[in-house]
Amino acid sequence: MRMPKLSCHKATGQARVRLNGRDFYCGTFGSAQADLRYLELLRQYRAGELPAAPPAKSAKIPAGESTTPDLTKGSPRTVELLAARYVTDHARVHYRHPDGRPTTEQEGLKRALAWLTRCPEGKLPPDQFGPRALKSIRAAMVESGRLSRKTVNQHIGRIRRMFRWAASEELVKVEVFSALATVQGLQRGRTVAPDHPPRTPVAWEDVEKTLPYLPAPMRALVLVQWHCGARGGELLIMRPCDIDRTSEIWEYTPPTHKGAWRGKGRLILLGREAQAILLPLLAVKAPTEHVFSPRDSRERSGVGDVYDNNAYSKWVRQAAKQAGAKHWSPHMLRHAYGTRVRAVAGIEQARVLLGHASCVTSEIYARADVESVRGIVQQLG
């Protein structure tokens, strides 16, 4: 059964959820108190104990008054309330890019912790949540038939990290996390949870078939990714001011990237083919405007001035289906580029161009690596 989601009541600024045809107001939208009240309402809804809906209240609550318990005081009574506190106090702050945008881990965390609401083990007091409870939730994930073995292991790892954080905040005993750490991940071939086949490079024929069915900005995005092998997320945030065009091979430094939090640098080399695609786009863009923007297309499929990874992947999947091409995703463009580089120059050069350098490599050696592959970029175009 799908649970109704919280929405923001614009007139009052309160979080609102509709249950049994009635609106319930949970407090200021985005606050920890609202999340706590929401989870309590869901519990009562499932148990058939839903109270009468209170009238909407002003978002301005007088000093000293509160419509919900203070989530910052004491330890949460249940595991699902602990999850709400973990999200509001830690995840929303920790899993963010330097520019403030949430990372994809926030979405993965939301999906993992949702299982604590669906399963009865989520009603347990945190100190009573042990390995058997965690395995029971894992079994429910597997039995759903919708998750791969890798995804199940990732979700269980996220729940364990929540308890590690709770132990560090003295919300649960350290022994609780230590016990959960003994639960091993599902192993290949020893579970009914399926394994996805390994990703393979997309063939140019399928890319070529798909291009006419994509909006103009995404056609350019696909072609640039094909010719440089960057991650989709790195290209989606590209701005003219991030590209050094002073040499024959352009150098693009993404404002943020996957390894930034580890202190790693990222430099993407753009050869003549990628440059030819980018030149007309750069000519009409201000230095800080995004190169690939939904505003440049009739099909508005992004938020504001920039596409996100989900919109990019969705457009590619739909366009490939319309074109009668084989199913492919943007990340397969990166695989295709790596395969071409490896065929021409070997695996070490592919590692450098794809940004797989070790995080302990010094800046001097990293620069030497980049210089060593410039010829490969010229050869591939």
Side-chain angles (χ1 to χ4, degrees):
M1 178 175 60
R2 293 179 64 87
M3 292 293 106
K5 295 183 178 180
L6 276 178
S7 62
C8 181
H9 185 249
K10 293 183 179 179
T12 63
Q14 290 204 28
R16 177 177 62 178
V17 62
R18 192 167 184 81
L19 299 168
N20 289 343
R22 297 175 294 174
D23 289 335
F24 292 84
Y25 294 82
C26 305
T28 304
F29 185 76
S31 67
Q33 288 82 2
D35 289 339
L36 174 64
R37 177 60 176 158
Y38 169 64
L39 289 174
E40 178 62 20
L41 284 170
L42 290 186
R43 184 194 67 77
Q44 294 176 355
Y45 174 63
R46 288 192 299 267
E49 304 170 355
L50 199 63
K57 295 184 178 181
S58 170
K60 297 181 179 179
I61 300 174
E65 295 185 17
S66 175
T67 58
T68 55
D70 188 351
L71 194 61
T72 63
K73 295 180 180 179
S75 299
R77 298 189 305 275
T78 66
V79 172
E80 62 180 358
L81 295 183
L82 175 64
R85 183 159 177 178
Y86 176 60
V87 170
T88 56
D89 289 6
H90 177 71
R92 287 179 181 171
V93 177
H94 182 73
Y95 295 113
R96 301 190 75 83
H97 291 294
D99 60 4
R101 294 180 300 111
T103 67
T104 55
E105 178 60 19
Q106 283 202 26
E107 184 62 29
L109 191 62
K110 184 189 301 182
R111 293 177 181 176
L113 299 184
W115 287 93
L116 298 175
T117 301
R118 298 172 191 163
C119 299
E121 289 76 13
K123 310 299 182 297
L124 291 172
D127 281 334
Q128 295 181 21
F129 189 89
R132 293 178 65 180
L134 186 60
K135 289 180 179 179
S136 179
I137 290 177
R138 185 176 67 184
M141 294 180 186
V142 173
E143 289 170 5
S144 72
R146 295 183 286 109
L147 304 179
S148 68
R149 180 183 64 88
K150 179 180 178 181
T151 301
V152 170
N153 284 340
Q154 288 174 337
H155 282 356
I156 294 301
R158 290 175 174 121
I159 294 173
R160 272 200 297 256
R161 286 199 297 275
M162 178 188 76
F163 275 91
R164 181 175 64 187
W165 170 84
S168 73
E169 295 292 321
E170 299 184 359
L171 298 175
V172 300
K173 297 176 181 177
V174 175
E175 291 79 10
V176 175
F177 167 68
S178 299
L180 295 178
T182 64
V183 178
Q184 296 183 345
L186 298 175
Q187 298 180 3
R188 185 185 298 272
R190 297 185 177 182
T191 174
V192 297
D195 278 291
H196 291 313
R199 283 177 175 168
T200 56
V202 60
W204 171 248
E205 292 76 14
D206 291 314
V207 176
E208 198 172 26
K209 283 183 183 178
T210 304
L211 290 175
Y213 296 88
L214 289 169
M218 285 201 177
R219 283 199 298 272
L221 176 59
V222 165
L223 290 172
V224 171
Q225 191 175 8
W226 172 268
H227 288 296
C228 75
R231 297 179 181 91
E234 294 169 338
L235 295 178
L236 288 169
I237 57 175
M238 176 186 280
R239 303 170 301 174
C241 62
D242 302 319
I243 305 174
D244 181 355
R245 294 184 267 175
T246 57
S247 61
E248 185 178 0
I249 301 298
W250 292 359
E251 297 181 357
Y252 166 49
T253 305
T256 185
H257 59 92
K258 184 178 180 179
W261 70 279
R262 295 181 182 271
K264 291 177 60 177
R266 179 77 168 112
L267 190 66
I268 298 167
L269 301 181
L270 303 171
R272 61 179 181 275
E273 296 290 348
Q275 292 174 23
I277 299 161
L278 288 170
L279 270 174
L281 300 176
L282 297 176
V284 296
K285 293 287 183 177
T288 57
E289 283 186 304
H290 289 101
V291 175
F292 307 104
S293 173
R295 296 187 183 276
D296 301 329
S297 170
R298 294 179 181 178
E299 301 89 349
R300 298 297 299 277
S301 56
V303 179
D305 295 324
V306 62
Y307 292 107
D308 59 27
N309 272 313
N310 289 334
Y312 183 23
S313 297
K314 183 178 179 180
W315 266 106
V316 167
R317 289 196 305 269
Q318 291 179 343
K321 185 176 181 180
Q322 286 179 290
K326 291 182 180 178
H327 171 84
W328 62 278
S329 67
H331 202 71
M332 293 168 70
L333 296 168
R334 182 169 160 82
H335 281 263
Y337 183 78
T339 300
R340 299 200 306 277
V341 172
R342 185 172 180 177
V344 171
I347 192 170
E348 180 62 18
Q349 281 70 22
R351 175 189 67 81
V352 175
L353 286 171
L354 292 174
H356 289 161
S358 170
C359 61
V360 298
T361 305
S362 68
E363 287 293 326
I364 295 176
Y365 284 106
R367 186 66 196 181
D369 281 346
V370 171
E371 294 298 335
S372 71
V373 296
R374 284 184 179 275
I376 307 301
V377 175
Q378 286 180 319
Q379 185 176 349
L380 291 174

